[in-house]
Amino acid sequence: MSFIVSALWLYPVQSMRGQEMDALDYAADGLRLDRWFGILDVETQKMVGSAGGKRNWRALVTWDAQLVTPLDATEPKVEIRFPEGGSLVSDDLEIDRKLSERLERAVEFRGAGGARAPKRYELAPCHLLTSATLRRLNRSYPEGEFAPERFRPNVLLDCGDEVGFIEQPWLGKEIAMSSGAVLEGTEDCQRCALTTRAQGGLPSDPKILHTVMLENNTNAGIYARVAKPGRIALGDTAQIGQGRLAASAQASA
């Protein structure tokens, strides 16, 4: 069975809303400019996250981050857009002061090319989600808005009429795109309170995470590594292959 790539996202700034893309070019180490920028807490000297404990950081997931330079730019720039209006570009000489004032805490804006660069990937360079998982969750809680944006995937696969957590059995298996790129599922994606936050046009809804917890042990979607670099584009089809262990056993039989 094949599935269709129906949406793609790049997240230029850690914890901020991403931008929809027509295509993503995966290198062996992930996506160029994905989680390229981040915000450093001056006091702790750690990169901050909207899902973290400090209330100061919770607004980050409501901010939009959009690249204003090409993906192959030597010195990439990003525009941060605020929900109440206004924006800030990353090359603004006053960006640290302006962000500190907004967040009411001393912070510094960092890029992957400089000192104290953000750690780009905690688990894997691709987060993959299916329409089947979203449909399964929505059946359990019809009043909830299970929009993919709440779950922050890089790749969304349209699975037609399929319903269920169908991507979980893909761990250890190849996910081959018709364009030639190949991903491999590595582990389940455990959800956090970020899925419940108001963001974009989505309202705050604690029952979103509660439903994921009850129906699938807090898991929705999977992480994947890059098994073969290449481009993933809207409309590509994805085929699920054998796991590495199964393929090795078959080859030696």
Side-chain angles (χ1 to χ4, degrees), residues 21-121:
M21 307 290 288
D22 293 328
L24 296 176
D25 290 310
Y26 269 100
D29 61 347
L31 288 169
R32 174 164 170 75
L33 303 189
D34 190 53
R35 275 83 175 184
W36 191 260
F37 300 98
I39 294 177
L40 180 78
D41 183 338
V42 172
E43 180 182 346
T44 65
Q45 287 296 294
K46 294 180 179 180
M47 305 307 295
V48 309
S50 190
K54 288 191 179 298
R55 188 174 296 273
N56 306 65
W57 316 139
R58 294 183 184 179
L60 294 178
V61 76
T62 69
W63 299 0
D64 286 287
Q66 303 282 313
L67 291 171
V68 292
T69 48
L71 285 170
D72 59 355
T74 304
E75 297 183 4
K77 293 189 290 186
V78 65
E79 181 181 30
I80 301 169
R81 301 170 185 169
F82 305 107
E84 72 279 8
S87 65
L88 186 59
V89 179
S90 56
D91 64 350
D92 187 321
L93 296 179
E94 294 292 310
I95 189 170
D96 291 346
R97 179 186 63 78
K98 292 175 181 179
L99 288 177
S100 297
E101 289 177 354
R102 278 185 171 272
L103 294 169
E104 298 181 336
R105 191 171 175 88
V107 298
E108 295 177 358
F109 194 75
R110 289 282 186 260
R116 291 295 301 166
K119 184 176 180 180
R120 295 186 62 209
Y121 303 115

